[in-house]
Amino acid sequence: MHDPNAIADAYLATWNAADQTRRHDLLRTAWAEDADYTDPMMKGCGHDGIATMIAGARDRFPGHSFHLHGTPDGHGDVVRFSWTLIAPDASPVVQGTDIVRLDDDGRIASVTGFLDAA
């Protein structure tokens, strides 16, 4: 069993990494090389595709950060958690829930994201 909190923390750290080099380091550490990401607004595949997608979101929401909302849970190779995107003035902008599937090494293999409130 994988620690859902650790998975959610690694995931959010990747999204919150303002530095592109740091983001790529986090992707190499916590995400499978062929990982994929899909939500209602965007898609990305592999480390480069996901890094580009995250950079685009960060450009659209400068100074914003993702925060865990509630307690992650999981079973087997699946982890579920919710998050809130917070603006620089501390107001919530978007809330979502992500379902993460892990590979055999416990790295993020795929993400299916849902937007709960905007």
Side-chain angles (χ1 to χ4, degrees), residues 46-105:
H47 290 172
D48 289 340
I50 293 169
T52 299
M53 180 192 70
I54 292 172
R58 291 190 57 78
D59 288 346
R60 183 169 177 209
F61 297 100
H64 291 59
S65 58
F66 290 89
H67 297 265
L68 190 60
H69 180 81
T71 304
D73 65 347
H75 58 85
D77 65 349
V78 178
V79 175
R80 172 183 66 175
F81 57 89
S82 295
W83 49 264
T84 303
L85 179 63
I86 303 291
D89 68 2
S91 62
V93 177
V94 178
Q95 288 185 321
T97 298
D98 290 346
I99 309 299
V100 174
R101 187 181 54 77
L102 305 173
D103 69 9
D104 292 337
D105 295 323

Side-chain angles (χ1 to χ4, degrees), residues 12-81:
L12 294 173
T14 305
W15 279 88
N16 285 329
D19 177 74
Q20 182 176 347
T21 300
R22 174 74 177 134
R23 192 175 314 124
H24 278 281
D25 289 344
L26 290 165
L27 283 163
R28 279 191 293 277
T29 301
W31 297 63
E33 190 172 329
D34 60 347
D36 63 82
Y37 177 98
T38 304
D39 74 20
M41 306 287 292
M42 59 186 130
K43 292 178 97 171
C45 293
H47 290 172
D48 289 340
I50 293 169
T52 299
M53 180 192 70
I54 292 172
R58 291 190 57 78
D59 288 346
R60 183 169 177 209
F61 297 100
H64 291 59
S65 58
F66 290 89
H67 297 265
L68 190 60
H69 180 81
T71 304
D73 65 347
H75 58 85
D77 65 349
V78 178
V79 175
R80 172 183 66 175
F81 57 89

